[in-house]
Amino acid sequence: MNPPKTDARRHHDPEVRGFASDNYAGTHPEVLAALALANGGHQVAYGEDAYTENLQQVIRSHFGPTAEAFPVFNGTGANVVALQAVTDRWGAVICAESAHINVDECGAPERVGGLKLLTVPAPDGKLTPELIDRQAYGWDDEHRAMPQVVSIAQATELGTVYTPEEIRALCEHAHAHGMKVHLDGSRLANAAATLDVPMRTLTNAAGVDILSLGGTKNGALFGEAVVVLNQDAVSHMKHLRKLSMQLASKMRFVSVQLEALLARDLWLRNAGHANEMAQRLAEGVRAVHGVEILYPVQANAVFARLPHDVSERLQKRFRFYFWDEAAGDVRWMCAFDTTEDDVDAFLAALKEEMAR
């Protein structure tokens, strides 16, 4: 059979690369192949399909025999659903000021999820038991939202990575106060690759109750999952997912992508490569006089400070974002498809603009 004709045309130059976000990357070919494999014929909608059923076994191979995955459309949806699942209507979530749920989700956890975020300053993006204690009080005070959850990100918004011991200490501290722990794992694969540990070491083995598991930033077309690690911590997940508008009718196309990433080692290959490119970029940046790297480069992000005019000129050649425009801070992200040539071309451009 001849392939179907289409009027679709390519509207971009596939040779153009940037360092703005790992979301800018396309879809990994193995994920695209899995999507084609899942296409054709009819499968039951709303998660009662064979691909979503098989995903549960894949998830349990990574996160233990009681783990259960609930595929969703996107990361913000995963976070909102997960946080609602472990809070009451009067509940609050302790998180870092720089956390994605606080800074980059348009108020969705509060406006859509009905949650109160209790933030604390975390200079390197990482919470500690001492920082948690700044907001962990007032459980019997009806005038204050009740702290019920500690939310951390792995890797953090600043590209730093918690060790397994640090996560375990946070979980033990939170649980001792009767609170649950949520982990925003949009870049969990990058953290696991950096530490050379299984993802379970950073999640259920450390005491995390519920996980937002990323796919899009690591080679998927779209789709993440809420992974319930502690079944006693949540209830009515299916209803929450639907209520939050995160129930995909053709869920097989979300599930098969996560299966393609997780069933073997594609998740690790993609994340490890992105991390290696970030290290290559950081090494080159350190050799450029007048550019300062702001945080340890532990995943696939490089945060730097350089003259504002240099950044503006460089942005015309390679797209990236200011992190703190007033201070001149920028963020450069690497992805699964970033090449050594991409990094070297960017470094050459950086050197040229710094020399002007």
Side-chain angles (χ1 to χ4, degrees):
M1 180 183 295
N2 293 325
K5 294 182 178 179
T6 175
D7 290 330
R9 292 173 173 83
R10 173 169 278 163
H11 297 287
H12 78 290
D13 181 354
E15 300 302 316
V16 171
R17 300 300 178 99
F19 292 84
S21 173
D22 34 13
N23 286 323
Y24 279 40
T27 306
H28 193 280
E30 292 179 36
V31 176
L32 284 176
L35 282 165
L37 188 69
N39 198 28
H42 287 197
Q43 278 281 287
V44 183
Y46 300 110
E48 299 297 323
D49 59 273
Y51 296 92
T52 302
E53 179 182 358
N54 189 68
L55 176 64
Q56 302 303 329
Q57 300 305 316
V58 175
I59 288 292
R60 288 169 187 147
S61 73
H62 285 282
F63 300 106
T66 64
E68 186 175 8
F70 295 84
V72 295
F73 288 114
N74 54 46
T76 295
N79 285 337
V80 171
V81 171
L83 291 173
Q84 286 183 97
V86 287
T87 53
D88 295 310
R89 285 288 295 153
W90 50 88
V93 177
I94 299 173
C95 64
E97 285 182 349
S98 58
H100 196 276
I101 59 173
N102 183 52
V103 176
D104 288 309
E105 295 188 346
C106 197
E110 295 183 317
R111 297 178 66 86
V112 178
L115 307 164
K116 173 65 177 175
L117 299 182
L118 302 174
T119 64
V120 294
D124 62 354
K126 294 163 63 175
L127 292 181
T128 64
E130 293 74 22
L131 289 175
I132 289 172
D133 282 344
R134 295 190 183 186
Q135 294 283 11
Y137 64 89
W139 286 277
D140 293 326
D141 182 357
E142 68 267 34
H143 302 288
R144 187 173 193 265
M146 181 185 292
Q148 292 185 318
V149 179
V150 173
S151 180
I152 62 174
Q154 178 74 318
T156 74
E157 281 298 286
L158 302 183
T160 52
V161 168
Y162 289 93
T163 66
E165 294 74 23
E166 288 172 327
I167 296 177
R168 188 175 300 109
L170 288 174
C171 290
E172 290 176 354
H173 192 74
H175 292 157
H177 286 295
M179 297 186 292
K180 301 178 180 71
V181 178
H182 162 255
L183 191 145
D184 180 349
S186 64
R187 297 187 178 97
L188 177 61
N190 299 91
T194 289
L195 296 170
D196 192 24
V197 297
M199 288 187 288
R200 70 173 67 88
T201 303
L202 304 171
T203 53
N204 55 304
V208 172
D209 296 292
I210 195 164
L211 164 69
S212 300
L213 179 63
T216 309
K217 291 177 171 63
N218 200 28
L221 174 63
F222 67 93
E224 325 283 302
V226 177
V227 182
V228 176
L229 303 172
N230 177 6
Q231 294 291 339
D232 294 332
V234 305
S235 62
H236 302 294
M237 271 296 303
K238 288 185 176 182
H239 294 83
L240 277 173
R241 180 173 57 180
K242 177 66 174 182
L243 177 69
S244 302
M245 297 171 284
Q246 287 291 318
L247 179 64
S249 57
K250 297 184 180 181
M251 196 180 297
R252 59 171 149 159
F253 297 109
V254 181
S255 298
V256 75
Q257 294 180 75
L258 296 173
E259 179 187 1
L261 287 170
L262 298 170
R264 292 187 175 87
D265 67 345
L266 181 58
W267 69 275
L268 185 59
R269 284 187 279 130
N270 286 354
H273 176 79
N275 292 356
E276 289 173 8
M277 293 302 98
Q279 289 294 335
R280 184 182 184 90
L281 176 58
E283 182 179 350
V285 168
R286 291 188 184 101
V288 181
H289 180 70
V291 182
E292 176 189 3
I293 292 181
L294 299 175
Y295 307 108
V297 179
Q298 298 177 332
N300 62 324
V302 178
F303 290 80
R305 180 172 295 162
L306 62 159
H308 192 279
D309 60 325
V310 172
S311 290
E312 288 189 323
R313 293 196 303 269
L314 191 58
Q315 283 177 323
K316 295 177 182 178
R317 303 171 68 173
F318 292 89
R319 184 154 184 171
F320 60 89
Y321 293 120
F322 278 102
W323 192 254
D324 182 341
E325 190 164 3
D329 299 351
V330 299
R331 185 190 74 167
W332 298 320
M333 298 295 303
C334 296
F336 78 89
D337 63 348
T338 303
T339 67
E340 292 183 354
D341 288 344
D342 295 335
V343 172
D344 294 345
F346 180 80
L347 289 170
L350 173 63
K351 293 173 183 176
E352 289 175 9
E353 297 301 342
M354 286 294 294
R356 285 179 60 178

